[in-house]
Structure formats: structure tokens, C-alpha cells
Amino acid sequence: MSQIDGLPPLREVIETHGLSARKALGQNFLLDLTLTARIARAAGDLANSDILEIGPGPGGLTRGLLAEGARRVLAIEKDERCIPALEEIAAAYPGRLEVICGDALAVDPMQRLTPPVRVAANLPYNIGTELLVRWLTPPEWPPFWTSLTLMFQREVAERIIARPGGKAYGRLALLAQWRCDVRVVLELPPQAFTPPPKVWSAVVHLTALPAPRHPADPAMLNKVVAAAFNQRRKMLRSALKSLSPQIEEHLNAVGIAPTERAEQVGLEAFCALARSLSAA
Ligand code: SAM
């Protein structure tokens, strides 16, 4: 029995339920419940929030969240082999864990969540970025969540927190930092997982700001940033010329040299450029 909740250790759960890891589902499991409890604490105020967890697997992080006092956890898992193990956790925490067997990209969990909602997940690497971009680009802001606490491959985490001037800086950094506070709260070596992945991982905590840091139309900002970084080695007057025949004038008007490259331009300047293009 484990110390945090009296349930069997995760290694035993995996063996009992035959949960051999499947690469296609991005399965790298965390078996250390002290570690998952630590990740759970990084998610913030659990006692007064509903938690949406994507990809609970055998339930390591789920157990961490519940043991640390989460009001309610809604967990979406694609691999039906994991469901009986998750139902055992639900039975140990009556009324606090709901499990949906399905694809997180297709299931809409909103009806089953009561605000405030926090998202916590050790994401499958193959859909992690897609889910993050969805959560960062809802039709309305503030979004349905107050915070995201997400495990990524470390290289993705670096792209989320990147500042101008480096290779990691790009669309993901701008999307995230425009409307969130972002920080890395934990870095984990491959050996923390079973089976170990090839690279280090990192947990990123994103807190939704009540309003964007600088005004801009989201669709226009997205268009500008996508065009700028699709051709990141080109000067902006050339990378952005499809957006307006007067792109040089717009760049000059907001104080960006038309010869600059996307990598050198900060969030505030991209927002100013989006406003200038929208106004035209
Ligand atoms: N949370 C567990 C942990 O920390 O040990 C497992 C994390 S593992 C990196 C990713 C989990 O996401 C796996 O359990 C996998 O089956 C699940 N998964 C993969 N694709 C999914 C999808 N499209 N929707 C929901 N879950 C998915």
C-alpha cells in the first residue's frame, strides 16, 4: 500500500491491469507518488477548483491531485486498458473523480466542470502542443481555465517561456506570454518515467491573465506571428509582405525596422503591428 492514499503502488497497478506502455499513445508513466504530489501542489489552489486531467494513464498524477485535496478531478483517458485502474481510484475517493474514456481532442468536458477550473496533465507528447494552442486561443478571454500545469518535453517548455533573441522564441512563446504568466516549475530526467523517454521533461505552469498584456485582435496577431515565424530567417518586410502592400510603412509606424527578423521582435511590438494592420 502506498503512503499517500492506501491504494496499491503504481508498479503493482500496472502489473495487475497489464498496462504495458504503448509508444503510439505517448505512454511514459510517473510511478513516484511523492513526485506526482509535488506536481499536483504546483497546480495551485486544488481544494477550491475542479481539475481537468488529460491522459491519467494508471493514475499517478490523478492520485497526487486527489491526495493533495483537489475538490474534483475530471480525467480523460484514451486507453481503455487504464479505465479499471482509474475506477479503483474513483472508489477510494467517492464523488471526487470522474473518468471519461475518450480522445481529449474530441471530447468537450465543459458540461462536466464547475469553475474555477485548473488543468493539470502529464501530456502525451504527440498531442501536447495542439492541446496547449487550443487552450491558449479560445474565442473568448478569460478562458474556461484559471491555470494550466503541464508536463512537456523540455524543448517544448523552453519554447513556451522563451524571450526574444534565441532559436526557441516563436509563436508558442508569443501566444502563451500574451495572455498568461508562464514559468517552469520542475525539470525531470528521463529516469523519472517508466519507460524513460529519450529527453528531459519539464512542468510549465501558466496562469491566465484577466486580459491580454497589450491590446490586439487575436486573429490578426496570430496571422502576423505565423507569417513572421514561418520564414524566421527572412527580414520582416519580406516575411510579412503577403499581409499588406504597405508593410514597410506599418513596420516603421510602430518602430520595427523592416530589416529586422522575427526573432528580434518583442511581444509589445508584434501587438502594435497587429493593431496597425487591423486599423488599415
Ligand atoms: N498521467 C500519467 C502519468 O503521469 O504517469 C500518464 C502520462 S502519459 C505521458 C500520457 C497519457 O495520455 C497516457 O496514459 C495515454 O494513454 C494518454 N493519451 C494519449 N493520447 C490521448 C488522447 N488523445 N486523449 C486522452 N488521453 C490520451
Side-chain angles (χ1 to χ4, degrees):
M1 290 218 295
S2 87
Q3 275 174 358
I4 71 163
D5 55 16
L7 287 160
L10 283 157
R11 218 169 270 289
E12 195 179 310
V13 172
I14 286 175
E15 210 177 291
T16 310
H17 295 280
L19 304 179
S20 51
R22 291 193 177 149
K23 209 172 169 195
L25 286 168
Q27 291 183 335
N28 301 99
F29 301 133
L30 287 170
L31 303 189
D32 178 349
L33 289 164
T34 314
L35 186 59
T36 62
R38 201 165 146 207
I39 298 168
R41 286 195 295 277
D45 179 11
L46 298 172
N48 296 302
S49 313
D50 273 15
I51 311 295
L52 173 62
E53 186 191 357
I54 306 300
L61 180 56
T62 321
R63 285 166 64 174
L65 289 162
L66 290 163
E68 289 298 319
R71 176 175 76 189
R72 233 183 119 253
V73 177
L74 175 66
I76 305 177
E77 172 57 59
K78 191 173 179 181
D79 184 353
E80 56 189 31
R81 296 177 309 158
C82 298
I83 306 303
L86 295 165
E87 292 302 349
E88 283 171 16
I89 305 171
Y93 289 94
R96 289 175 56 200
L97 171 62
E98 184 182 351
V99 181
I100 299 177
C101 186
D103 181 346
L105 293 172
V107 172
D108 178 6
M110 291 313 296
Q111 304 299 324
R112 294 172 144 104
L113 292 165
T114 307
V117 174
R118 295 176 185 272
V119 180
N122 173 11
L123 289 171
Y125 72 94
N126 48 347
I127 61 164
T129 314
E130 181 170 352
L131 280 170
L132 175 64
V133 170
R134 281 192 193 186
W135 288 325
L136 290 173
T137 54
E140 303 283 332
W141 198 269
F144 75 89
W145 49 270
T146 54
S147 71
L148 308 173
T149 306
L150 306 172
M151 176 96 68
F152 289 102
Q153 295 180 344
R154 189 164 64 180
E155 171 268 328
V156 178
E158 280 164 1
R159 287 200 278 132
I160 296 168
I161 62 160
R163 298 287 173 190
K167 277 209 179 81
Y169 181 65
R171 183 164 170 254
L172 211 48
L174 287 157
L175 271 185
Q177 294 172 32
W178 183 40
R179 301 195 278 198
C180 301
D181 277 332
V182 300
R183 67 198 162 93
V184 168
V185 290
L186 194 64
E187 298 198 341
L188 293 176
Q191 310 84 271
F193 302 84
T194 303
K198 289 202 174 70
V199 294
W200 275 63
S201 300
V203 178
V204 187
H205 184 74
L206 301 96
T207 313
L209 298 170
R213 250 175 245 285
H214 313 286
D217 170 59
M220 179 58 85
L221 181 62
N222 199 19
K223 223 159 115 177
V224 170
V225 169
F229 285 96
N230 276 347
Q231 303 186 69
R232 61 189 298 147
R233 303 189 64 82
K234 285 199 175 168
M235 292 179 195
L236 286 172
R237 67 175 171 216
S238 148
L240 298 181
K241 68 171 183 266
S242 64
L243 297 182
S244 161
Q246 282 86 42
I247 193 63
E248 287 214 29
E249 282 89 326
H250 285 289
L251 287 162
N252 283 321
V254 300
I256 304 174
T259 51
E260 290 252 59
R261 281 153 179 97
E263 233 168 71
Q264 307 302 327
V265 177
L267 171 63
E268 193 169 358
F270 271 120
C271 291
L273 181 59
R275 287 198 302 275
S276 174
L277 286 161
S278 294

